[in-house]
mmCIF file of all heavy atoms in Angstrom:
data_model
loop_
_atom_site.group_PDB
_atom_site.id
_atom_site.type_symbol
_atom_site.label_atom_id
_atom_site.label_comp_id
_atom_site.label_asym_id
_atom_site.label_seq_id
_atom_site.Cartn_x
_atom_site.Cartn_y
_atom_site.Cartn_z
ATOM 1 N N ALA A 35 61.507 130.036 145.890
ATOM 2 C CA ALA A 35 61.270 131.019 146.950
ATOM 3 C C ALA A 35 60.169 131.975 146.513
ATOM 4 O O ALA A 35 59.859 132.091 145.329
ATOM 5 C CB ALA A 35 62.557 131.792 147.218
ATOM 6 N N THR A 36 59.623 132.678 147.466
ATOM 7 C CA THR A 36 58.604 133.696 147.164
ATOM 8 C C THR A 36 59.123 135.069 147.632
ATOM 9 O O THR A 36 60.312 135.234 147.862
ATOM 10 C CB THR A 36 57.279 133.342 147.859
ATOM 11 O OG1 THR A 36 57.577 133.112 149.226
ATOM 12 C CG2 THR A 36 56.651 132.109 147.245
ATOM 13 N N GLY A 37 58.229 136.031 147.773
ATOM 14 C CA GLY A 37 58.677 137.387 148.097
ATOM 15 C C GLY A 37 58.949 138.119 146.791
ATOM 16 O O GLY A 37 58.875 137.531 145.702
ATOM 17 N N SER A 38 59.281 139.402 146.881
ATOM 18 C CA SER A 38 59.487 140.168 145.643
ATOM 19 C C SER A 38 60.822 139.841 144.973
ATOM 20 O O SER A 38 60.953 139.967 143.756
ATOM 21 C CB SER A 38 59.383 141.660 145.937
ATOM 22 O OG SER A 38 60.152 141.978 147.068
ATOM 23 N N SER A 39 61.806 139.399 145.753
ATOM 24 C CA SER A 39 63.155 139.221 145.183
ATOM 25 C C SER A 39 63.238 138.252 144.005
ATOM 26 O O SER A 39 63.920 138.555 143.024
ATOM 27 C CB SER A 39 64.140 138.811 146.279
ATOM 28 O OG SER A 39 64.126 139.766 147.303
ATOM 29 N N PRO A 40 62.596 137.077 144.061
ATOM 30 C CA PRO A 40 62.767 136.151 142.916
ATOM 31 C C PRO A 40 61.875 136.446 141.712
ATOM 32 O O PRO A 40 61.964 135.742 140.701
ATOM 33 C CB PRO A 40 62.427 134.783 143.523
ATOM 34 C CG PRO A 40 61.553 135.055 144.683
ATOM 35 C CD PRO A 40 61.833 136.458 145.155
ATOM 36 N N LEU A 66 59.846 126.741 149.514
ATOM 37 C CA LEU A 66 60.418 126.857 150.855
ATOM 38 C C LEU A 66 59.376 126.882 151.964
ATOM 39 O O LEU A 66 59.588 126.332 153.042
ATOM 40 C CB LEU A 66 61.150 128.198 150.967
ATOM 41 C CG LEU A 66 62.542 128.336 150.408
ATOM 42 C CD1 LEU A 66 62.916 129.808 150.398
ATOM 43 C CD2 LEU A 66 63.526 127.530 151.242
ATOM 44 N N ASP A 67 58.281 127.609 151.715
ATOM 45 C CA ASP A 67 57.419 127.925 152.855
ATOM 46 C C ASP A 67 56.011 128.314 152.415
ATOM 47 O O ASP A 67 55.747 128.484 151.216
ATOM 48 C CB ASP A 67 58.056 129.037 153.712
ATOM 49 C CG ASP A 67 58.529 130.224 152.879
ATOM 50 O OD1 ASP A 67 58.133 130.331 151.703
ATOM 51 O OD2 ASP A 67 59.276 131.053 153.408
ATOM 52 N N TYR A 80 51.370 131.583 149.273
ATOM 53 C CA TYR A 80 52.504 131.315 148.383
ATOM 54 C C TYR A 80 52.107 130.357 147.267
ATOM 55 O O TYR A 80 52.739 130.327 146.205
ATOM 56 C CB TYR A 80 53.699 130.823 149.203
ATOM 57 C CG TYR A 80 54.331 131.940 150.023
ATOM 58 C CD1 TYR A 80 55.214 131.665 151.053
ATOM 59 C CD2 TYR A 80 54.045 133.285 149.744
ATOM 60 C CE1 TYR A 80 55.796 132.691 151.798
ATOM 61 C CE2 TYR A 80 54.623 134.306 150.475
ATOM 62 C CZ TYR A 80 55.502 134.003 151.493
ATOM 63 O OH TYR A 80 56.087 135.007 152.226
ATOM 64 N N GLY A 131 65.467 134.126 148.957
ATOM 65 C CA GLY A 131 65.517 135.562 149.214
ATOM 66 C C GLY A 131 66.042 135.696 150.635
ATOM 67 O O GLY A 131 66.492 134.712 151.242
ATOM 68 N N ILE A 132 65.962 136.873 151.185
ATOM 69 C CA ILE A 132 66.381 137.043 152.583
ATOM 70 C C ILE A 132 65.502 138.106 153.238
ATOM 71 O O ILE A 132 65.188 139.138 152.609
ATOM 72 C CB ILE A 132 67.891 137.408 152.667
ATOM 73 C CG1 ILE A 132 68.359 137.453 154.123
ATOM 74 C CG2 ILE A 132 68.195 138.725 151.938
ATOM 75 C CD1 ILE A 132 69.882 137.509 154.274
ATOM 76 N N GLY A 133 65.092 137.857 154.451
ATOM 77 C CA GLY A 133 64.321 138.859 155.175
ATOM 78 C C GLY A 133 65.265 139.915 155.751
ATOM 79 O O GLY A 133 66.466 139.659 155.929
ATOM 80 N N HIS A 137 66.193 136.278 158.009
ATOM 81 C CA HIS A 137 65.536 134.981 157.846
ATOM 82 C C HIS A 137 65.687 134.455 156.435
ATOM 83 O O HIS A 137 65.772 135.219 155.478
ATOM 84 C CB HIS A 137 64.075 135.007 158.311
ATOM 85 C CG HIS A 137 63.087 135.663 157.392
ATOM 86 N ND1 HIS A 137 62.218 136.638 157.810
ATOM 87 C CD2 HIS A 137 62.804 135.457 156.081
ATOM 88 C CE1 HIS A 137 61.452 136.993 156.795
ATOM 89 N NE2 HIS A 137 61.788 136.301 155.739
ATOM 90 N N GLY A 139 63.786 131.344 154.002
ATOM 91 C CA GLY A 139 62.497 130.673 154.135
ATOM 92 C C GLY A 139 61.741 131.488 155.168
ATOM 93 O O GLY A 139 61.661 132.708 155.075
ATOM 94 N N PHE A 140 61.224 130.811 156.198
ATOM 95 C CA PHE A 140 60.682 131.552 157.335
ATOM 96 C C PHE A 140 61.430 131.137 158.602
ATOM 97 O O PHE A 140 60.843 131.017 159.666
ATOM 98 C CB PHE A 140 59.178 131.310 157.479
ATOM 99 C CG PHE A 140 58.304 132.313 156.780
ATOM 100 C CD1 PHE A 140 57.222 131.894 156.009
ATOM 101 C CD2 PHE A 140 58.529 133.686 156.898
ATOM 102 C CE1 PHE A 140 56.390 132.809 155.369
ATOM 103 C CE2 PHE A 140 57.702 134.608 156.263
ATOM 104 C CZ PHE A 140 56.638 134.166 155.503
ATOM 105 N N THR A 160 59.083 140.556 160.427
ATOM 106 C CA THR A 160 58.679 139.897 159.176
ATOM 107 C C THR A 160 57.243 140.250 158.829
ATOM 108 O O THR A 160 56.918 140.542 157.673
ATOM 109 C CB THR A 160 58.806 138.361 159.338
ATOM 110 O OG1 THR A 160 60.168 138.070 159.633
ATOM 111 C CG2 THR A 160 58.367 137.617 158.104
ATOM 112 N N ASN A 164 56.178 142.193 155.499
ATOM 113 C CA ASN A 164 55.285 141.565 154.527
ATOM 114 C C ASN A 164 53.893 142.195 154.499
ATOM 115 O O ASN A 164 53.074 141.843 153.660
ATOM 116 C CB ASN A 164 55.187 140.052 154.789
ATOM 117 C CG ASN A 164 56.503 139.348 154.466
ATOM 118 O OD1 ASN A 164 57.464 139.995 154.060
ATOM 119 N ND2 ASN A 164 56.553 138.055 154.638
ATOM 120 N N ARG A 166 53.122 144.919 153.430
ATOM 121 C CA ARG A 166 52.905 145.671 152.190
ATOM 122 C C ARG A 166 52.086 144.872 151.164
ATOM 123 O O ARG A 166 51.517 145.442 150.247
ATOM 124 C CB ARG A 166 54.241 146.133 151.596
ATOM 125 C CG ARG A 166 55.127 145.041 151.049
ATOM 126 C CD ARG A 166 56.514 145.616 150.724
ATOM 127 N NE ARG A 166 57.341 144.735 149.932
ATOM 128 C CZ ARG A 166 58.064 143.729 150.411
ATOM 129 N NH1 ARG A 166 58.010 143.447 151.720
ATOM 130 N NH2 ARG A 166 58.827 142.990 149.618
ATOM 131 N N PHE A 167 52.038 143.556 151.339
ATOM 132 C CA PHE A 167 51.253 142.737 150.408
ATOM 133 C C PHE A 167 49.801 142.562 150.870
ATOM 134 O O PHE A 167 48.981 142.013 150.148
ATOM 135 C CB PHE A 167 51.890 141.350 150.255
ATOM 136 C CG PHE A 167 53.299 141.405 149.725
ATOM 137 C CD1 PHE A 167 54.373 141.018 150.515
ATOM 138 C CD2 PHE A 167 53.554 141.857 148.435
ATOM 139 C CE1 PHE A 167 55.666 141.070 150.033
ATOM 140 C CE2 PHE A 167 54.844 141.911 147.941
ATOM 141 C CZ PHE A 167 55.902 141.524 148.743
ATOM 142 N N LYS A 201 68.329 145.844 152.251
ATOM 143 C CA LYS A 201 68.950 144.532 152.476
ATOM 144 C C LYS A 201 70.470 144.653 152.698
ATOM 145 O O LYS A 201 71.133 143.644 152.955
ATOM 146 C CB LYS A 201 68.666 143.605 151.282
ATOM 147 C CG LYS A 201 67.197 143.319 151.031
ATOM 148 C CD LYS A 201 66.633 142.312 152.013
ATOM 149 C CE LYS A 201 65.119 142.178 151.939
ATOM 150 N NZ LYS A 201 64.630 141.388 150.826
HETATM 151 C C1 GLP B 1 59.231 136.250 152.972
HETATM 152 C C2 GLP B 1 59.625 134.868 152.506
HETATM 153 C C3 GLP B 1 61.111 134.741 152.332
HETATM 154 C C4 GLP B 1 61.634 135.920 151.540
HETATM 155 C C5 GLP B 1 61.367 137.199 152.309
HETATM 156 C C6 GLP B 1 61.929 138.427 151.655
HETATM 157 O O1 GLP B 1 59.265 136.416 154.336
HETATM 158 N N1 GLP B 1 59.189 133.832 153.381
HETATM 159 O O2 GLP B 1 61.399 133.513 151.682
HETATM 160 O O3 GLP B 1 63.000 135.764 151.303
HETATM 161 O O4 GLP B 1 59.961 137.306 152.387
HETATM 162 O O5 GLP B 1 60.997 139.002 150.805
HETATM 163 P P1 GLP B 1 61.313 140.099 149.716
HETATM 164 O O6 GLP B 1 62.056 139.390 148.652
HETATM 165 O O7 GLP B 1 59.966 140.558 149.265
HETATM 166 O O8 GLP B 1 62.107 141.159 150.388
#
Side-chain angles (χ1 to χ4, degrees):
T36 52
S38 47
S39 304
L66 279 169
D67 49 15
Y80 288 165
I132 185 168
H137 76 232
F140 267 134
T160 300
N164 291 0
R166 69 190 193 278
F167 300 114
K201 299 283 170 78

